[in-house]
Amino acid sequence: MNNKNEQNACVIVLGDIGRSPRMQYHVKSLSENEFSVDFIGYVHTPPLEDIRNSPNVRIHELNPFPELELPSILKYIFKTVWQTLGLLITLISIRKPKFILCQNPPAIPAIIVAYFYCLFARSKLIIDWHNYTYSILALESPNSLIVSFAKKIEAYFGAKAADNLCVTKSMKVDLQTRWNVRATVLYDRPPQQFQSISLQEKHNLLLRLGETISAFKSKQILEQTETSDIIERTAFTAKYRNGEIKLLDSRPGLLISSTSWTPDEDFSMLISALDQYEQNANEQPTHYPSLVCIITGKGPLKDRFRNIVDSKPWKKVQVDMPWLENEDYPKLLASSDLGVCLHYSSSGLDLPMKVVDMFGSGLPVCAIDFNCIDELVKHGENGFVFQHYQELAEQINSWFMDFPNNIALTNMKQNIQKQLKQFQALRWSENWKNVALPVLKN
């Protein structure tokens, strides 16, 4: 085998590759480190531009399973067969890889197909454990045969893999003790696009997004006269004739969250917390500003949540649920005042990448508590942890009380920003080279 063939790699995502950031970062890093990559998955959402334009990456789009009116068990079986055949045909058509890096979940049939392909092609199977397939399936039917089957599949093929990566120390320990699977911890780190931005960039972003997001538009009509000092205005910023841009003292607070709208995130908690904020803001209007809450993402529960929001008679709280392009999302995080994360992990062993992105953008986060969240969020140091909606409400109310000029909170906010700057110092690319590349090149 020549050196060129040895540098071929295959990355498998049995899901939408455009909404699989960690696997996209793997592909980008591989392509930047002398690997030719075949990237296999569904393409419902466009991947990162760096991947689409890379001469070292070939994207192989899987055909989605057709929507059929079938009983659940039959639909699951037929879908698995469909995915197995589609994945197998694609693997046979690509260049022989030195290794396959396969995302888990889902284990069925991705890991099974990848394992047997590697067996016959004499390639190496590496599993990147983001969570457990069985624990996600157990959210809807904890005692089903499918859950038991998924657990056995993960145990068997996890131990058979040549190498494993995982997202937390807690998962590393659990894999070892539960199934004797040895894994290397590769923490998610923010890529370069998630960073703090200038006030000029914030103003330009809010001005542009204000064309589609009404909460970003200025409620004050500008005077079209030569004596008017302000020439451009959003709900948060103003640009003056001399080119200077300032944050408005009377601006709303900007709260942001992102979600895939799946059952492992309980957004009723955020609704209840916003109800409490609305009540406090109405009772003490001089102490609490209006609050704009932006929730980004696509998923099955989005319409249900939108209907709940639309039914609320809020006057001090405004919620918008836009879909943001890849280049806008990091900038909006950096323009926000506080993030909220409601991802609680079906296994209690993985960490929400959205918090990593928020920290990379210099944004403090309120995150729901679960087993290993302290590997990322340090309560009172770089963000806050809550267990129920009352605690979330208290944290939001405290953060935005007398906003933006609460002198009593100045020291705490400065200390949090110091912690976030330390977090921003280590990026995905450097961390990947130090941790993942030695495993992949082994």
Side-chain angles (χ1 to χ4, degrees):
M1 188 180 293
N2 59 41
N3 186 59
K4 183 178 178 181
N5 287 337
E6 288 179 348
Q7 294 303 309
N8 290 339
C10 175
V11 177
I12 296 176
V13 175
L14 208 59
D16 184 3
I17 62 178
R19 294 168 65 190
S20 304
R22 179 177 168 102
M23 301 310 287
Q24 291 188 81
Y25 301 159
H26 275 303
V27 170
K28 184 173 182 291
S29 293
L30 285 166
S31 69
E32 292 170 348
N33 286 272
E34 301 179 348
F35 283 91
S36 296
V37 186
D38 289 290
F39 194 11
I40 301 174
Y42 299 108
V43 188
H44 304 310
T45 309
L48 296 172
E49 187 177 355
D50 288 340
I51 291 175
R52 298 198 306 268
N53 297 336
S54 172
N56 295 333
V57 179
R58 297 181 187 177
I59 297 174
H60 303 269
E61 184 174 356
L62 296 173
N63 292 320
F65 181 68
E67 290 299 324
L68 301 174
E69 293 296 329
L70 295 169
S72 296
I73 187 66
L74 280 180
K75 188 173 183 179
Y76 186 83
I77 292 171
F78 287 158
K79 184 176 181 179
T80 301
V81 172
W82 175 281
Q83 290 177 326
T84 299
L85 293 175
L87 187 53
L88 193 55
I89 291 168
T90 305
L91 283 170
I92 291 171
S93 70
I94 68 172
R95 302 160 293 188
K96 180 182 174 182
K98 180 180 180 182
F99 60 83
I100 289 179
L101 179 61
C102 187
Q103 173 185 286
N104 183 58
I108 305 169
I111 290 177
I112 305 171
V113 175
Y115 171 77
F116 283 109
Y117 173 85
C118 288
L119 197 63
F120 287 103
R122 295 186 179 180
S123 299
K124 184 168 73 168
L125 173 62
I126 302 169
I127 301 173
D128 190 19
W129 298 79
H130 298 194
N131 200 347
Y132 294 154
T133 301
Y134 86 86
S135 69
I136 292 176
L137 293 173
L139 288 174
E140 295 186 3
S141 50
N143 299 316
S144 72
L145 291 175
I146 293 176
V147 172
S148 177
F149 178 64
K151 185 182 291 189
K152 290 177 181 177
I153 290 295
E154 288 181 296
Y156 181 80
F157 288 99
K160 289 284 187 181
D163 272 305
N164 295 272
L165 299 171
C166 66
V167 292
T168 63
K169 291 178 182 177
S170 298
M171 183 173 282
K172 172 186 172 75
V173 172
D174 191 73
L175 283 167
Q176 177 72 55
T177 55
R178 183 190 295 268
W179 295 323
N180 197 30
V181 173
R182 295 187 178 182
T184 299
V185 178
L186 176 67
Y187 279 121
D188 287 318
R189 303 296 302 188
Q192 204 58 42
Q193 65 263 34
F194 290 94
Q195 57 181 299
S196 303
I197 62 175
S198 68
L199 191 53
Q200 171 82 61
E201 289 176 294
K202 288 182 183 181
H203 175 74
N204 292 343
L205 176 76
L206 295 169
L207 200 64
R208 180 164 53 80
L209 292 182
E211 295 175 6
T212 54
I213 302 174
S214 62
F216 291 172
K217 291 182 181 178
S218 172
K219 301 300 185 287
Q220 180 176 328
I221 299 174
L222 297 179
E223 295 178 13
Q224 300 300 319
T225 67
E226 292 184 2
T227 57
S228 176
D229 288 332
I230 297 175
I231 59 173
E232 286 179 349
R233 182 172 178 144
T234 72
F236 305 87
T237 57
K239 183 175 182 179
Y240 294 81
R241 287 194 176 278
N242 62 4
E244 186 179 11
I245 295 173
K246 293 182 179 180
L247 288 168
L248 299 172
D249 285 338
S250 59
R251 67 186 182 272
L254 183 52
L255 187 72
I256 190 166
S257 186
S258 63
T259 177
S260 52
W261 297 108
T262 50
D264 61 352
E265 293 183 291
D266 182 6
F267 266 78
S268 66
M269 296 182 70
L270 181 56
I271 288 284
S272 299
L274 293 177
D275 272 333
Q276 185 62 57
Y277 186 89
E278 171 76 11
Q279 180 181 334
N280 287 359
N282 283 320
E283 291 174 355
Q284 304 178 65
T286 60
H287 291 292
Y288 292 97
S290 295
L291 188 64
V292 174
C293 178
I294 301 295
I295 307 172
T296 71
K298 296 179 180 177
L301 301 180
K302 183 173 182 176
D303 288 341
R304 177 182 163 195
F305 184 82
R306 188 190 300 276
N307 290 336
I308 295 172
V309 168
D310 289 344
S311 70
K312 292 290 182 180
W314 291 331
K315 294 188 177 1
K316 300 288 286 186
V317 174
Q318 185 171 348
V319 176
D320 207 312
M321 289 172 275
W323 171 253
L324 297 174
E325 298 300 328
N326 285 332
E327 60 270 19
D328 289 337
Y329 176 60
K331 292 180 180 179
L332 187 55
L333 290 183
S335 302
S336 300
D337 300 304
L338 185 66
V340 172
C341 175
L342 291 157
H343 173 90
Y344 61 82
S345 174
S346 60
S347 65
L349 299 170
D350 70 299
L351 293 172
M353 181 171 278
K354 67 194 68 169
V355 174
V356 175
D357 295 340
M358 290 174 179
F359 281 177
S361 303
L363 180 66
V365 178
C366 300
I368 194 167
D369 193 16
F370 60 87
N371 289 351
C372 65
I373 192 66
D374 61 346
E375 291 188 41
L376 179 61
V377 183
K378 313 292 184 185
H379 184 72
E381 295 181 24
N382 59 9
F384 306 95
V385 173
F386 62 90
Q387 294 184 334
H388 43 74
Y389 84 86
Q390 291 98 331
E391 285 187 343
L392 175 59
E394 288 169 8
Q395 290 165 7
I396 293 174
N397 278 273
S398 174
W399 191 263
F400 288 107
M401 185 175 182
D402 293 329
F403 176 87
N405 300 312
N406 189 330
I407 298 174
L409 294 177
T410 300
N411 287 339
M412 180 187 69
K413 291 186 175 183
Q414 288 177 345
N415 290 334
I416 287 176
Q417 283 302 321
K418 286 180 183 178
Q419 293 292 323
L420 295 181
K421 285 188 183 301
Q422 291 179 13
F423 185 89
Q424 290 174 305
L426 179 61
R427 295 286 170 170
W428 169 272
S429 181
E430 181 184 351
N431 191 50
W432 187 89
K433 282 183 181 179
N434 292 338
V435 179
L437 188 57
V439 174
L440 300 175
K441 280 196 168 183
N442 181 20

